[in-house]
Amino acid sequence: MNALKVGVLGAGIAGLAAAGRLKARGHEVTVFDKGRGPGGRASSRRRGLFHFDHGAQYFTARQEEFSAAVGGWLTAGVVAPWDGHIVSLVGGVTSPLKSETRRYVGQPQMSGLAKHLARELDVRCGVQVDVLTRVDGLWMPEEGGEILGAFDRLIVAMPPAQAAQLLEADSPLGGVARSVEMRPCWCVMLGLEARLEVPFDGAFCNESALSWISRDNSKPGRPQTEAWVLHASPEWTEEHLHEEREQVIKALTAEFEEVTGVVLPPVSHRDAHRWGLAQPASEEPVQALCDLERGLALACGAYVGGRVEGAYMSGLAAAAGIG
Ligand SMILES: Cc1cc2nc3c(=O)[nH]c(=O)nc-3n(C[C@H](O)[C@H](O)[C@H](O)COP(=O)(O)OP(=O)(O)OC[C@H]3O[C@@H](n4cnc5c(N)ncnc54)[C@H](O)[C@@H]3O)c2cc1C
């Protein structure tokens, strides 16, 4: 096939996987993202010596092709296994997980993986595509009335609700994007002045406003400063979606003490982030993400169960579908 001009909207793991594969096949690829850097929901924050992965916490590798990619990233030093002690937690009582799995994290933060995938790509950050038109068989994404380019093929690699805003409601892929429901997640980040004395590094919380808590400094390559990430359950987040950040921090910090049964050491950094579109409501994979006739494909972890691995594989599938 002749070299094509391909636009990729979204520099999360899905968009970057798609762009990398298409570039390797000789196509001319441009990636646009509204964020300050690549990574999307697999990104991180630094506040002094406190490092937080506030979106994806870790990832697993189940499929052969993804495992092979992880092998390459391990060799390149951009991911590492996380051997943190992970438990299930109910009312201050811990129990082992039913099954164990190998967990990986980006280096030196989760965002390290996206930075690695983006390193040889033309990624234009700080660009929010707000209109998408098709003229004479070419896709033309726009931002604020400015046309960003004309592309033979286009991959829309963002959460379905955001893709739906750009695609016509009556188009086949517009309908697919609209059919996927996403749930939100409030995340609280706490920097503590001393170690929190609990016998685990991460816990899936049950019967709580929290669904997950994690000692991020137990991940490899992070500073040893005690940094905890708390994720609220989708139910709690939906109930408190529009609450003030301060209120959310207060409520979830109190719940953190409640579920761990431990009084926190002094907190020297606290912040919260609301992921409006965190995870798909269903893990059921969605089919038919390519419109061959119009040279358009959708990619996102949300179409295949909502994980980093799914995002990567969905990016490769989109690349195979159109390129
Ligand atoms: C709180 C939370 C915890 C999670 N925990 C885990 C976990 O432990 N393990 C795991 O495997 N997965 C986890 N996930 C899921 C994982 O993060 C995602 O499945 C994966 O990162 C999705 O990648 P993506 O490329 O599909 O989408 P995204 O990462 O959402 O990337 C989409 C990109 O599109 C950009 N974008 C959106 N609209 C526009 C626009 N109009 N113009 C330009 N750019 C746009 C966004 O800025 C974003 O960078 C978690 C997610 C969240 C939110």
Side-chain angles (χ1 to χ4, degrees):
M1 190 186 280
N2 291 337
L4 297 167
K5 276 190 82 174
V6 185
V8 177
L9 310 185
I13 300 299
L16 294 171
R21 182 56 59 91
L22 289 164
K23 187 179 173 197
R25 289 218 196 103
H27 300 305
E28 189 188 324
V29 188
T30 313
V31 186
F32 301 97
D33 198 289
K34 65 179 179 164
R36 267 184 298 171
R41 282 173 284 152
S43 55
S44 316
R45 275 195 191 173
R46 281 178 195 212
R47 293 295 179 268
L49 279 176
F50 296 115
H51 289 197
F52 304 99
D53 295 330
H54 59 311
Q57 296 297 291
Y58 61 82
F59 59 90
T60 49
R62 296 179 168 93
Q63 300 174 62
E64 210 175 301
E65 190 165 10
F66 187 65
S67 300
V70 173
W73 301 334
L74 285 165
T75 307
V78 292
V79 307
W82 178 31
D83 296 324
H85 180 46
I86 314 296
V87 298
S88 169
L89 183 62
V90 186
V93 179
T94 63
S95 50
L97 298 180
K98 288 200 182 92
S99 66
E100 256 315 330
T101 179
R102 198 88 177 108
R103 298 182 178 82
Y104 301 95
V105 291
Q107 290 291 304
Q109 292 188 280
M110 193 55 95
S111 53
L113 174 57
K115 283 183 188 150
H116 176 75
L117 295 176
R119 73 200 183 289
E120 284 166 8
L121 296 171
D122 178 3
V123 181
R124 304 184 189 174
C125 289
V127 181
Q128 175 153 7
V129 176
D130 49 20
V131 172
L132 194 54
T133 49
R134 194 153 186 268
V135 181
D136 296 335
L138 295 175
W139 288 104
M140 300 199 182
E142 294 179 26
E143 182 193 38
E146 185 198 337
I147 295 175
L148 301 165
F151 300 98
D152 304 301
R153 305 277 194 273
L154 194 82
I155 296 181
V156 183
M158 58 184 69
Q162 290 170 331
Q165 286 171 8
L166 296 175
L167 300 170
E168 292 153 12
D170 57 356
S171 66
L173 294 190
V176 170
R178 270 168 190 78
S179 73
V180 180
E181 189 197 336
M182 297 284 282
R183 302 196 76 184
C185 174
W186 265 117
C187 166
V188 166
M189 292 154 269
L190 298 177
L192 307 182
E193 286 183 15
R195 185 181 160 84
L196 184 71
E197 291 304 339
V198 290
F200 54 81
D201 300 310
F204 293 98
C205 308
N206 299 302
E207 300 168 26
S208 165
L210 292 168
S211 59
W212 164 260
I213 54 178
S214 145
R215 191 193 313 266
D216 261 18
N217 49 302
S218 68
K219 295 177 178 174
R222 276 68 172 169
Q224 282 314 295
T225 349
E226 190 80 355
W228 280 81
V229 167
L230 324 178
H231 282 164
S233 68
E235 295 75 21
W236 191 92
T237 303
E238 277 161 4
E239 258 176 56
H240 299 82
L241 199 59
H242 301 295
E243 213 143 274
E244 292 295 323
R245 193 180 294 236
E246 276 312 313
Q247 282 303 109
V248 169
I249 294 172
K250 205 169 152 199
L252 293 180
T253 304
E255 183 66 13
F256 185 36
E257 290 192 316
E258 180 74 29
V259 287
T260 56
V262 171
V263 176
L264 293 189
V267 179
S268 52
H269 172 82
R270 47 174 74 76
D271 202 357
H273 178 84
R274 186 182 63 187
W275 295 101
L277 304 167
Q279 294 280 22
S282 160
E283 290 206 2
E284 204 54 39
V286 178
Q287 309 293 335
L289 299 171
C290 255
D291 180 345
L292 273 181
E293 205 178 304
R294 293 173 15 118
L296 179 71
L298 300 177
C300 184
Y303 298 115
V304 281
R307 299 193 177 84
V308 168
E309 176 172 23
Y312 186 85
M313 296 306 293
S314 126
L316 295 192
I322 63 158

